[in-house]
Structure formats: C-alpha cells, structure tokens
Amino acid sequence: MRSKKKLCVAGNWKMNLNLSQAEDFAARFEQIYRAHPQVEVKIAPSFTNLYRLVQLFEDTEVDILAQNMHWAEKGAYTGEVSAGMLRSVGVYGVILGHSERRAYFCETDKELRRKVQTGIENDMEIIYCVGETLQQREAGRHFDTVRRQITEVFFDLDPEDWRQVKIAYEPVWAIGTGKTATPGQADEMHAYIRELIAGKYGPALAGEVMILYGGSVKPANARDIFARPNVDGALVGGASLNADTFNDLVEIAKGFFE
Ligand code: PGA
C-alpha cells in the first residue's frame, strides 16, 4: 500500500469573511495552531484579504493562496489579478479550475491551461480542481470527465513542473451540499488520477503528486477520508471558515503521523 509522506489541509474561503472577520480568524488560529512538518496548511481568502493575512501569518507555517488569477502578466483586463501582483504581496500559490469558476464564470480547459502555464512560469504552487457533475456521474462518465480535465491541461508539462502542482478531486455534487463522496469513491478516483499521471510520467512522479479530496469535508468525516491510501489531504470550503473547526481538521491530519 502507498504510504503517505505528508497531508495537506487547505481552506478555500470562497466569497466569505471580510477583513475584520479574517483578522479574528487569524488571531484565534494563531492561538491554537501548532505546525507539524508533515502537515501542510493553506488558506485561500478573497483577494482583499490576501495582503493582510500574509502579514498576520508571516511567522507561521501557514501558506496563503489566491482563489484565482489571470493568465496574462498585465494589461487591459478589468477586474483581474496577475501572478506578479500576487507574488508582490507574498502570495506564491493559487487555486485554479474550481468548479464554481468553471460553472459561474465560464472558465474552460483552454483558458485554465494558460493559467496553469502562467502559474508554472511564475513559480507558483497550483492546487488544480477537477471533478464531475452529478449528471456525469450518473451517466457513468466521471472517469472520462476527470481524464479530459487533466490530460488537456497538464500533459504538456515537463516532469519537473509537477513539483508545483497538487490536484484536488472535488465531485461537483459533493460541494457545499453536505453530501460527501464515500472514502471509497474518493480513493477510487484518486487512484485513477494517479494511474493516468503514471501512464504519462511514470509511477515515481505519480506517487509524489499530492491529490486532495474536496466536497463537504468536516471533522466528522475527515479521518476516514485521510486514511485512504491515495488521499493526500483535503480542500475544505465551509468547514474552513471557523478557526477551531479548521484546526480540528489539521489535528486529525497530524494524528496520522504521531
Ligand atoms: P465545501 O467546499 O467543503 O464547502 O463542500 C469545498 C470546495 O468547494 O473547495
């Protein structure tokens, strides 16, 4: 069985928490959070809170990520934020391809491929979301959907570029719905993704890529999900908004290495 070297717990705040709420979160989280060398902790707030959270978490092991970015370096793209701008405020990672961005903002694989390229060129860490809709799962097209999402965007990368990439498998039907994929369903898809990467880049590289699960992860179900051999952590929405709950998830992850 594959043995995990690390787990990653990443919070995606989406369009939640204003500045003072983010500061309250940071103050509380700093009181209770204890870093662990095998547990990566990341928080992705909205753009307006990035700079402040980078400052507040400066002396901790917590990475602050953006939830999106544009593919261009700069220019006439009203409302957009570039990789260079993120780096200039101390943000070196980004979530790309979230299903909400695909569904509500019409992001396509083609556009996401450019964003991934920009992220790689700018030495950003990328958490890249993939996942099928309920309709696709019911039609038995979940593996095909995820295969297309990954191969069309990633299979031009040089092997060393994968060091910057984590995949997050987030079945759309499990996001914010309270419905979690069973740990077995998550592991099955994670194993599939790993095989796909192994087919192109070899098993050693595929074994190193961290594959997170996302979709209604909370302290009550995290242990079972983290326990699966192909699951390397979680991308967490709702349960990341409260510092105590989020820290509970981090503690559960730490439990696997103690
Ligand atoms: P959720 O969101 O944990 O609220 O389901 C997960 C996500 O969309 O990343």
Side-chain angles (χ1 to χ4, degrees), residues 119-139:
I120 297 289
E121 282 162 14
N122 283 273
D123 215 9
M124 307 278 287
E125 176 180 33
I126 296 165
I127 296 185
Y128 191 81
C129 304
V130 298
E132 79 285 358
T133 61
L134 185 58
Q135 213 184 10
Q136 287 165 329
R137 178 161 280 263
E138 283 174 348

Side-chain angles (χ1 to χ4, degrees), residues 4 51 66 79 86 111 123 191 193 196 219 221:
K4 285 189 261 268
Y51 184 46
L86 294 174
E111 189 181 359
D123 215 9
I193 294 170
L196 207 60
N221 59 24

Side-chain angles (χ1 to χ4, degrees), residues 137-156:
R137 178 161 280 263
E138 283 174 348
R141 299 208 320 271
H142 43 300
F143 291 119
D144 268 2
T145 303
V146 168
R147 179 174 45 73
R148 185 179 39 75
Q149 288 170 336
I150 291 183
T151 54
E152 288 189 8
V153 173
F154 286 95
F155 276 21
D156 283 349

Side-chain angles (χ1 to χ4, degrees), residues 33-90:
Y33 166 66
R34 296 287 166 270
H36 186 288
Q38 284 164 288
V39 179
E40 295 182 16
V41 177
K42 301 172 193 288
I43 296 173
S46 52
F47 286 127
T48 51
N49 289 332
L50 284 173
Y51 184 46
R52 184 69 183 128
L53 285 190
V54 166
Q55 291 174 325
L56 291 173
F57 283 107
E58 199 175 6
D59 298 325
T60 73
E61 298 295 317
V62 177
D63 293 327
I64 303 301
L65 312 177
Q67 296 173 15
N68 179 34
M69 70 176 191
H70 197 259
W71 43 263
E73 188 190 331
K74 62 180 178 179
Y77 298 102
T78 301
E80 293 293 329
V81 172
S82 71
M85 289 169 178
L86 294 174
R87 290 187 64 91
S88 75
V89 296

Side-chain angles (χ1 to χ4, degrees), residues 71-226:
W71 43 263
E73 188 190 331
K74 62 180 178 179
Y77 298 102
T78 301
E80 293 293 329
V81 172
S82 71
M85 289 169 178
L86 294 174
R87 290 187 64 91
S88 75
V89 296
V91 173
Y92 305 108
V94 62
I95 297 171
L96 291 176
H98 192 280
S99 62
E100 288 152 15
R101 301 243 18 120
R102 294 178 194 256
Y104 305 138
F105 305 101
C106 307
E107 286 195 357
T108 60
D109 287 342
K110 199 168 157 217
E111 189 181 359
L112 287 165
R113 187 177 161 149
R114 297 180 82 171
K115 291 188 177 197
V116 166
Q117 207 53 51
T118 298
I120 297 289
E121 282 162 14
N122 283 273
D123 215 9
M124 307 278 287
E125 176 180 33
I126 296 165
I127 296 185
Y128 191 81
C129 304
V130 298
E132 79 285 358
T133 61
L134 185 58
Q135 213 184 10
Q136 287 165 329
R137 178 161 280 263
E138 283 174 348
R141 299 208 320 271
H142 43 300
F143 291 119
D144 268 2
T145 303
V146 168
R147 179 174 45 73
R148 185 179 39 75
Q149 288 170 336
I150 291 183
T151 54
E152 288 189 8
V153 173
F154 286 95
F155 276 21
D156 283 349
L157 292 193
D158 292 334
E160 61 269 22
D161 295 338
W162 278 92
R163 276 198 291 253
Q164 288 165 243
V165 178
K166 289 180 173 57
I167 300 289
Y169 170 55
E170 300 205 310
V172 178
W173 47 271
I175 296 177
T177 58
K179 270 192 210 165
T180 325
T182 63
Q185 282 172 321
D187 199 57
E188 181 187 37
M189 183 60 86
H190 287 216
Y192 175 75
I193 294 170
R194 224 177 273 292
E195 260 171 47
L196 207 60
I197 299 171
K200 169 86 180 170
Y201 292 96
L205 188 149
E208 292 295 318
V209 176
M210 292 181 78
I211 307 178
L212 316 183
Y213 169 77
S216 300
V217 175
K218 45 186 182 281
N221 59 24
R223 194 169 286 107
D224 287 346
I225 294 170
F226 291 163

